[in-house]
Amino acid sequence: MNEFSILILITVILIVIVLFNTAKVVPQRQEYIVERLGKFSRTLSAGLHLLVPFLDVVRYKRTLKEEVFEVSKQNCITKDNVALGIDGVLYLQVMDSKLSCYGIDDYRLAAQNLAQTSLRSVIGKMDLDKTFEERETLNQAVVAAVDEAAQNWGIKVLRYEVKDIEVSPDIMNAMEKQMTAERDKRAAIAQSEGERQSKINLAEGEKEQSILTSEGQ
């Protein structure tokens, strides 16, 4: 291979490198953050874009699709001092790519931690029974708290869902006994009301019979 061929090969390689660093294709529902000499330059939307070689660099890539990730299980204390283990799922979406990159280091981790903190705060204001009955209230409270903070990160929190609520076996047994006692109590009250109504009906029947007998005589 002579010097001319080597020169052509080097030139082709350089052209390929320049084109690779110049042309960027952004997929649908994604955005790229471009920096020029270490400073924010612009946001690239879906499509073909040309960059200034060796000056422009794609620093961050963000998806605009709805993201789902689990919020790991954590210990919470209810208003009546019962320990619970609660995990959930958080749904969010990037609304401003620039803010999601420069407003916070890791918006996913921040949203997860804030969801856990908010959940502990809400659980601390509720009795044990309410935590099972008002899951929707829990979900809405977490979404409101996280979404308020996430606005500064360019993130929209769409919803939060409690997956599982765990209590200790002792507490579970006590709850089952309480439920059994409540059912027995309601059954006894219903039976007592039935007997009372039966006696009233019987007494009224005897009264009416006496009146009719008296009138007949």
Side-chain angles (χ1 to χ4, degrees), residues 20 22-35 40-49 51 57-64 94 97-98 100-102:
F20 180 78
T22 300
K24 292 294 181 182
V25 177
V26 181
Q28 185 70 23
R29 299 292 295 168
Q30 290 191 25
E31 287 184 348
Y32 290 179
I33 301 299
V34 176
E35 291 183 354
F40 171 78
S41 175
R42 62 189 186 278
T43 301
L44 305 181
S45 57
L48 176 64
H49 301 271
L51 307 181
V57 177
V58 174
R59 184 64 61 188
Y60 301 99
K61 298 180 180 180
R62 288 289 185 261
T63 177
L64 302 181
V94 174
S97 299
K98 180 182 177 181
S100 72
C101 297
Y102 299 104

Side-chain angles (χ1 to χ4, degrees), residues 69-72 90 92 104-117 146 153:
F69 61 93
E70 294 188 359
V71 178
S72 57
L90 191 63
L92 52 78
I104 195 166
D105 288 335
D106 188 339
Y107 67 85
R108 296 182 182 87
L109 180 61
Q112 180 179 2
N113 290 338
L114 188 54
Q116 291 177 327
T117 303
V146 181
W153 314 332

Side-chain angles (χ1 to χ4, degrees), residues 200-216:
I200 291 175
N201 293 339
L202 182 61
E204 290 180 349
E206 292 176 350
K207 178 181 178 181
E208 291 179 0
Q209 184 179 3
S210 299
I211 293 174
L212 292 174
T213 301
S214 175
E215 290 178 350

Side-chain angles (χ1 to χ4, degrees), residues 66-77:
E66 183 175 336
E67 299 181 61
V68 183
F69 61 93
E70 294 188 359
V71 178
S72 57
K73 185 173 294 184
Q74 60 175 327
N75 293 324
C76 303
I77 305 297

Side-chain angles (χ1 to χ4, degrees), residues 26-203:
V26 181
Q28 185 70 23
R29 299 292 295 168
Q30 290 191 25
E31 287 184 348
Y32 290 179
I33 301 299
V34 176
E35 291 183 354
R36 178 171 294 179
L37 300 177
K39 184 179 180 180
F40 171 78
S41 175
R42 62 189 186 278
T43 301
L44 305 181
S45 57
L48 176 64
H49 301 271
L50 298 179
L51 307 181
V52 178
F54 308 111
L55 295 181
D56 290 343
V57 177
V58 174
R59 184 64 61 188
Y60 301 99
K61 298 180 180 180
R62 288 289 185 261
T63 177
L64 302 181
K65 299 178 182 179
E66 183 175 336
E67 299 181 61
V68 183
F69 61 93
E70 294 188 359
V71 178
S72 57
K73 185 173 294 184
Q74 60 175 327
N75 293 324
C76 303
I77 305 297
T78 64
K79 184 179 179 180
D80 45 355
N81 294 321
V82 178
L84 303 176
I86 304 179
D87 58 358
V89 182
L90 191 63
Y91 299 78
L92 52 78
Q93 187 175 12
V94 174
M95 307 302 292
D96 189 321
S97 299
K98 180 182 177 181
L99 279 178
S100 72
C101 297
Y102 299 104
I104 195 166
D105 288 335
D106 188 339
Y107 67 85
R108 296 182 182 87
L109 180 61
Q112 180 179 2
N113 290 338
L114 188 54
Q116 291 177 327
T117 303
S118 303
L119 185 61
R120 284 196 296 267
S121 177
V122 175
I123 290 295
K125 301 175 183 178
M126 302 175 67
D127 292 328
L128 176 61
D129 295 340
K130 294 295 184 181
T131 60
F132 293 95
E133 299 172 1
E134 302 184 8
R135 287 199 179 195
E136 188 61 30
T137 302
L138 289 176
N139 297 337
Q140 293 175 358
V142 173
V143 168
V146 181
D147 189 56
E148 182 179 0
Q151 292 179 2
N152 297 325
W153 314 332
I155 305 299
K156 176 65 177 177
V157 179
L158 304 175
R159 57 191 181 278
Y160 174 84
E161 298 290 343
V162 173
K163 287 179 59 180
D164 191 23
I165 300 178
E166 291 186 356
V167 297
S168 66
D170 294 339
I171 298 297
M172 184 62 70
N173 291 334
M175 291 177 62
E176 291 177 354
K177 291 179 180 178
Q178 181 180 0
M179 293 175 62
T180 300
E182 287 292 335
R183 286 195 297 267
D184 293 342
K185 178 181 178 181
R186 288 195 295 267
I189 292 175
Q191 182 179 359
S192 175
E193 287 293 332
E195 292 176 352
R196 175 176 174 273
Q197 189 63 42
S198 177
K199 292 179 180 179
I200 291 175
N201 293 339
L202 182 61

